[in-house]
Amino acid sequence: MHELSIASGILDLVRQHVPEGRLADVRAVEVKVGRLSGVVADSLVFSFEALVQDTELARSRLVIEEVP
């Protein structure tokens, strides 16, 4: 399930770009996923939710826009 590693990478980027102490303010993380990328959107959302559980990002959600 490579979606777990993708979700982990997304969270690393969020942590790098959101100022310290503001992670709890993040409500949505928006990503674009190409149809031919081989990424299963539902699995990516599931992985994201599993990784943010019990963290400062627990109230955030992953928003996926599928693109050609």
Side-chain angles (χ1 to χ4, degrees):
M1 175 188 243
H2 71 287
E3 285 82 358
L4 183 60
S5 63
I6 294 169
S8 179
I10 291 169
L11 289 172
D12 288 343
L13 289 170
V14 170
R15 289 184 179 108
Q16 288 174 18
H17 293 283
V18 174
E20 193 171 330
R22 301 295 308 256
L23 285 173
D25 297 332
V26 175
R27 294 293 174 261
V29 177
E30 298 178 6
V31 296
K32 293 182 180 182
V33 175
R35 287 189 191 121
L36 300 178
S37 66
V39 173
V40 179
D42 289 341
S43 295
L44 184 57
V45 170
F46 177 83
S47 297
F48 181 90
E49 290 172 353
L51 291 173
V52 299
Q53 190 174 10
D54 298 327
T55 71
E56 289 180 288
L57 290 163
R59 293 189 290 176
S60 66
R61 64 188 180 96
L62 186 64
V63 178
I64 299 175
E65 177 185 346
E66 291 191 33
V67 295

